[in-house]
Amino acid sequence: MTTRFYYDLSSPFAYLAAHRVDDVVPGDVEWVPIAFGPLLVQTGRVPWSLKPGREVNMQECERRAQRMGLPPIRWPEAWPAESYSVNPARAALFAKRQGKVREMSRALYAEIFGRGRRLDDPATVEAAASAAGVDGVAEGIAEVKAELREQTEDAIARGIVGLPRVEVGGAIFGGDARLEEAAARAAA
């Protein structure tokens, strides 16, 4: 049974799930970075992070990070809309070619939510690549542009409407809070 973890680097709930998914969901989990902006355009959704009252979810992310033993969340300047970029997702996808998608993604999350660095700052991707041991990322992000678009379109076609999501044998589980349900499906 195929298990996929869909995520974007701008999502704090995906940041949390990225630190749990491999430990909670049994078997081999394929990490699938996608571009959140195009997903929102295709589905016509407005994320909680752009709505009034978003502080409630931000505080929930902060509490969960603390419970997980992660560093306190430092929200990037003008997060999310003003600092959005697809380059972190492209960098993660490029790292997948080197077998380092997990390392690159977690290093990107450390830069973005651990250090509060902007997603649209090329130095954020460079610092994460250095920490993850990913070579050639500056050039590599251009190589995977079409692949990220295709991966995002495939995710939408599979029914992915928000992030993070875990797909187990065609069933989709939304959010960090539903990883245990995904794990039960994967174990069945």
Side-chain angles (χ1 to χ4, degrees), residues 119-163:
L119 283 79
D120 60 353
D121 183 350
T124 301
V125 171
E126 291 170 21
S130 177
V134 175
D135 299 319
V137 74
E139 301 79 22
I141 58 176
E143 294 175 18
V144 297
K145 185 176 181 179
E147 189 177 344
L148 181 64
R149 185 179 315 112
E150 291 165 8
Q151 204 158 267
T152 301
E153 290 169 0
D154 180 66
I156 294 166
R158 289 174 177 279
I160 303 300
V161 295
L163 298 172

Side-chain angles (χ1 to χ4, degrees), residues 4-184:
R4 293 180 186 92
F5 170 51
Y6 295 94
Y7 63 101
D8 179 82
L9 283 301
S10 67
S11 168
F13 283 111
Y15 160 66
L16 299 172
H19 285 85
R20 296 181 345 109
V21 68
D22 287 326
D23 293 331
V24 173
V25 180
D28 184 36
V29 177
E30 178 188 355
W31 284 45
V32 185
I34 65 172
F36 195 41
L39 180 136
L40 293 174
V41 169
Q42 285 279 349
T43 61
R45 296 185 66 209
V46 176
W48 65 265
S49 57
L50 295 176
K51 294 179 181 177
R54 72 184 190 150
E55 294 78 16
V56 172
N57 281 330
M58 291 171 76
Q59 291 167 355
E60 177 62 21
C61 289
E62 291 167 358
R63 283 191 294 274
R64 288 186 190 187
Q66 183 180 24
R67 281 195 305 267
M68 292 172 63
L70 296 171
I73 292 179
R74 293 185 55 201
W75 300 97
E77 178 187 339
W79 174 86
E82 297 298 318
S83 69
Y84 185 75
S85 172
V86 295
N87 282 342
R90 288 176 184 162
L93 186 55
F94 177 72
K96 194 172 188 176
R97 292 179 174 184
Q98 296 180 23
K100 296 182 179 182
V101 66
R102 288 165 174 79
E103 295 87 344
M104 184 65 178
S105 298
R106 289 182 182 135
L108 282 161
Y109 282 132
E111 292 296 319
I112 296 163
F113 293 111
R115 293 181 184 85
R117 297 191 62 182
R118 290 176 62 113
L119 283 79
D120 60 353
D121 183 350
T124 301
V125 171
E126 291 170 21
S130 177
V134 175
D135 299 319
V137 74
E139 301 79 22
I141 58 176
E143 294 175 18
V144 297
K145 185 176 181 179
E147 189 177 344
L148 181 64
R149 185 179 315 112
E150 291 165 8
Q151 204 158 267
T152 301
E153 290 169 0
D154 180 66
I156 294 166
R158 289 174 177 279
I160 303 300
V161 295
L163 298 172
R165 293 293 189 266
V166 175
E167 179 189 9
V168 182
I172 298 170
F173 301 88
D176 172 60
R178 293 193 62 206
L179 288 182
E180 284 74 14
E181 291 176 53

